[in-house]
Every structure is written in C-alpha cells, then in structure tokens.
C-alpha cells in the first residue's frame, strides 16, 4: 500500500484519488477550495461524473480517502504527490501555469524524506524541468525528490471506467527507478506501460489530443461538402470507419469539440510550436473549422426562420458532451450566446449542466424538462447528444411546438423517421440544401 497525495480535486484529481484509494492505497485529496473540500467530506460531489459519487463514498467510508485544504496535513507523509491542478488557456493560447506554480511551491516547502512528484496536469513541454527546478529551490535541505510526468487520458463522462481500463500508462522521467515506482501503482490494471523521457511524455499528451481534435474537424469539413453535394455524412463516416487504417472513432460530424482539453491543448501546442519557430498551419485550421461549425449551425437556423429577433427557440443540451455537467468551451453555449445576440428567445434544457450554464449565460430561460423547453417553440435545436434526447417522444414534442422544425447539431435522429412525423428536419452533413428546397 502506498501513501499518495492528490493536489487539485477537479475531474482528474477526484477520479484518480478515488481510483488509487480503491486499489488499496492511502490517499489524501488536497484543494484550496474550502467549500469543495467541505462538500466532499459530506459525500457531496462538486462535479457530475457517472460512477464517481459511489467511488468516492466507498473509499471515504473505508478510511482510505480523506480530504483537506492543509498541505501540512498531507504532504510530509506522502510517498507520491500527484499535481492535478488546472492549466487553462491564456489569452495568447498558452497554458496558464499559475496554479501549477502555486501548488508546486507549497508542495516543495512541505516535503519530507524522499518523495516522487507526479505531473498529472497537462503542462507545456519542459514543465517537468520547471517543476523540478522550482522544488529544488524551495524544498527543505534534507528532503529529496524525483519528478515523473504521467499524462492522463480520461474522457469526461467515462472517466471512472477509463481510470480502471486505461489504454496505456505513459511515464516520463530522468530517474528510471522513480518511473518504475509510479508504474507499480498501475501494474494491477494490466495496461501497456511506456517509460520515456519527460519531454516525450508531455508531447504524447498534446499530440494525442491534437490528432483526435483533427479527426473531428476533418469530418466536419467533409460534412460541409456533403451538404453541398447531397451526400450523407453518417454513411460516409461509416464507410470510412470500416478501413482499419482509419477506424470509426471521432468521425461524428456535429458542432465540433469543446471541454477542458481539446481546445486548450490544441491552442497550447500551436503556441509552443510558434515559439520555437515552427508553423502549425494544421493546428490553426483545426481550431478555425471547429469555431466555424457553431456559426454554420446558427446560420442554418436563420435560413429556416429568417430574422431571429423575438423568435422562441428551444435548445436541448448545454454540456460540451453527454454524461457530464461540464460547460467549459461548450459548443452548445456558443450557439446559445449567438442566438441571444440575434434577439432569439431561447429556452434551454440539459439533464446535468443547467446550473453551470446559468452561471455562464444568465440571460437565457432554463426549463425543468425537455418538453417544457419546446412549448410554443418555432424550432428545436439539438446541441448535446444525451440519450434522454435520443429517446424523446417526438410526437409529443411536435404537439407542443408552434412550428415543427428540428435542427439537429449532433445527428441523433434519422432524417426520414423525423420527417415522417411531420417535422422539417436539418442535420449536419445530411443533405441540408435539399431539405430547404423540399
């Protein structure tokens, strides 16, 4: 059994803290947010993630997982300290390292004996050196340490599953023994383990997110072409996905990617590339296509309804993806803001993200259920592919709307089925112009 401290109790820190405790380790979770720590001590989750509440509750009750705001309570006795704080984008696209610096400085001052510091946060290339140098400057003279980079590859909405079924464990270190000790924490999961240098490990994380974001922007650009030539992007993606060189994943056309990882990591990688004299045209294009998807979606609504001023519109979905309450860089919120700017009267609903969305966009109306949102609406927009929306009673929806129009930004419905119910239906890459002419 290892003694572990997790610094930062967001999506990554909470999930890994719960998982390491579930594997039999003694875990301290540290966060400077007093309200968050108080909630966790009471068994309340500060975020929505399927399976997380049960994971945390089980290990708190077993005495393997505890929470504190006091570094002095958790750091001195820890064999491993995982840095899991946020690294959001700065205005120029770089990763904001202020939280990493603050956490590292505080960790350093509380070290005792030998400690392995694990960079779990997504940090720019060379951050392992930055953390190591900072700790060396501030640690007590008797303390020793090693820094290991260990990027996370969790998917929000599936994070609890992913942490116990990893596709790979990537470890970057200049100290092989330290990397092996971190690897020992994961060996029970029977995943491939790659041990390399810190900078390569850091780049693996950025490059992985960049290629996935690129696939999403690629299929969205193909969807734009499909709309002009009358092809169906769902069928096109299916045919592409059968090729083992391509595969089916991340080929779903829609409103593009959002969340806390893909947008900021692609921007950060592009900023790093420019700083060292490279010209990341592909990365910039990936971001441009992604942003344009939201604008194109709103233009489709305008083509159908004309002037949006005063028009009642229902919006289903606010989270950046299903099975999460995270609205960071959510395509749905971008669409919501654009509709409001054009004077639309938007009523929105989401199964999990309403409170977070209301803090970001207080000017919209928020409904208690999906059917309340569509009452009197001139159009229903689908922005997040929750199963609740896929299984909705569309006959009931049609009866509640003023004008039976669905603009499906996630292609969750089959056009022929929806049209057979009497709706005007417009998807992404599914013969949009033909729909308008029919």
């Amino acid at each position: 059994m290892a003694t572990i401290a997790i610094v930062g109790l967001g999506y990554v820190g909470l999930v890994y803290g719960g998982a390491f405790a579930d594997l039999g380790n003694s875990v301290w979770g540290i966060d400077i947010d007093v309200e968050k720590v108080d909630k966790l001590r009471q068994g309340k989750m500060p975020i929505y993630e399927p399976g997380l509440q049960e994971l945390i509750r089980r290990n708190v009750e077993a005495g393997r997982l505890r929470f504190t705001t006091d570094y002095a309570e958790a750091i001195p006795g820890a064999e491993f300290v995982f840095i899991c704080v946020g690294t959001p984008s700065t205005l120029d696209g770089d990763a904001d390292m202020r939280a990493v610096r603050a956490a590292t400085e505080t960790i350093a001052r509380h070290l005792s004996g030998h400690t392995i510091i694990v960079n779990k946060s997504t940090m720019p290339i060379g951050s392992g050196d930055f953390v190591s140098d900072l700790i060396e400057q501030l640690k007590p003279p008797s303390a020793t340490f090693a820094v290991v980079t260990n990027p996370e590859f969790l998917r929000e909405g599936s994070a609890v599953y992913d942490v116990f079924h990893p596709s790979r464990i990537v470890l970057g270190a200049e100290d092989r023994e330290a990397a092996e000790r971190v690897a020992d924490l994961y060996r029970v999961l029977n995943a491939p383990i790659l041990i390399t240098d810190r900078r390569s490990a850091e780049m693996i994380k950025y490059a992985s997110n960049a290629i996935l974001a690129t696939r999403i922007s690629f299929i969205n650009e193909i969807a734009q072409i499909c709309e002009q030539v009358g092809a169906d992007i769902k069928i096109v993606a299916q045919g592409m996905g059968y090729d083992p060189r391509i595969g089916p994943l991340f080929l779903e056309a829609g409103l593009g990617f959002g969340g806390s990882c893909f947008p900021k990591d692609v921007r950060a990688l592009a900023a790093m590339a420019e700083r060292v004299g490279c010209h990341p045209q592909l990365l910039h294009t990936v971001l441009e296509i992604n942003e344009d998807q939201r604008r194109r979606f709103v233009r489709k609504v305008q083509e159908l309804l004309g002037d949006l001023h005063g028009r009642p519109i229902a919006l289903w979905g606010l989270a950046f993806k299903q099975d999460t309450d995270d609205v960071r860089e959510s395509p749905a919120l971008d669409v919501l803001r654009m509709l409001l700017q054009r004077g639309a009267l938007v009523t929105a609903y989401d199964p999990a993200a309403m409170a977070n969305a209301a803090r970001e966009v207080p000017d919209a109306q928020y409904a208690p259920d999906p059917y309340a949102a569509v009452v009197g609406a001139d159009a229903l927009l689908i922005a997040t592919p929750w199963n609740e929306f896929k299984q909705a009673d569309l006959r009931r929806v049609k009866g509640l709307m003023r004008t039976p129009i669905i603009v499906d930004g996630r292609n969750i419905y089959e056009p022929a089925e929806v049209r057979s119910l009497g709706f005007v239906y417009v998807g992404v890459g599914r013969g949009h112009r033909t729909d308008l002419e029919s």
Side-chain angles (χ1 to χ4, degrees), residues 152-426:
E152 55 85 16
F153 302 99
L154 303 181
R155 300 167 297 169
E156 287 187 36
S158 308
V160 173
Y161 176 87
D162 289 348
V163 77
F164 289 109
H165 304 85
S167 58
R168 75 282 204 198
I169 304 298
V170 176
L171 301 169
E174 314 313 316
D175 182 334
R176 177 79 187 202
E177 182 181 351
E180 292 287 357
R181 286 192 60 198
V182 179
D184 288 340
L185 297 175
Y186 292 104
R187 291 196 198 280
V188 68
L189 301 176
N190 297 315
I193 296 176
L194 172 63
I195 297 179
T196 182
D197 62 279
R198 286 197 298 242
R199 289 177 181 247
S200 294
E202 291 160 352
M203 180 58 87
I204 287 169
K205 169 65 175 180
Y206 278 103
S208 295
N209 279 354
I211 189 63
L212 297 177
T214 299
R215 285 173 67 94
I216 294 169
S217 284
F218 171 83
I219 203 65
N220 278 329
E221 184 154 285
I222 296 300
Q224 294 176 19
I225 301 171
C226 285
E227 290 181 357
Q228 302 305 314
V229 301
D232 187 331
I233 192 62
K234 295 278 280 190
I235 302 302
V236 172
Q238 182 181 7
M240 293 169 60
Y242 287 137
D243 188 326
R245 298 169 301 174
I246 299 172
L249 299 180
F250 291 86
L251 291 181
E252 295 184 359
L255 295 180
F257 55 81
S260 64
C261 293
F262 286 6
K264 80 175 181 66
D265 290 352
V266 175
R267 284 195 293 264
L269 184 56
M272 284 185 277
E274 290 173 340
R275 201 158 49 243
V276 296
C278 297
H279 304 285
Q281 298 100 318
L282 176 60
L283 298 179
H284 287 308
T285 301
V286 166
L287 293 169
E288 289 168 7
I289 293 170
N290 195 57
E291 292 169 3
D292 190 49
Q293 282 301 102
R294 284 86 153 154
R295 294 189 289 267
R296 290 178 61 86
F297 184 74
V298 173
R299 285 199 295 270
K300 288 178 182 179
V301 180
Q302 289 179 299
E303 289 176 25
L304 287 162
L305 298 181
D307 184 3
L308 297 183
H309 187 80
R311 302 298 291 268
I313 293 174
L315 179 67
W316 281 3
L318 296 162
F320 86 93
K321 61 181 289 189
Q322 69 274 32
D323 298 324
T324 181
D325 63 350
D326 195 347
V327 298
R328 286 176 289 182
E329 305 223 27
S330 172
L333 290 199
D334 283 348
V335 167
L336 177 56
R337 292 185 183 101
M338 284 187 274
L339 293 170
L340 292 173
Q341 288 167 1
R342 289 159 176 75
L345 306 176
V346 185
T347 303
Y349 169 77
D350 187 282
M354 299 256 277
N356 290 339
R359 283 191 289 270
E360 295 292 324
V361 189
D363 296 337
Q365 298 296 314
Y366 295 93
D369 62 68
Y371 300 104
V374 302
V375 173
D378 283 339
L380 166 60
L381 315 186
I382 311 297
T384 311
W386 287 90
N387 285 334
E388 181 176 350
F389 304 153
K390 297 175 185 178
Q391 298 166 3
D393 182 348
L394 293 184
R395 287 184 175 85
R396 180 181 175 189
V397 169
K398 182 173 181 288
L400 293 170
M401 296 180 69
R402 185 166 74 176
T403 309
I405 295 174
I406 293 178
V407 188
D408 186 353
R410 296 298 184 177
N411 289 341
I412 66 173
Y413 300 128
E414 282 303 313
E417 293 177 9
V418 178
R419 291 177 186 133
S420 71
L421 298 175
F423 285 94
V424 173
Y425 176 85
V426 175

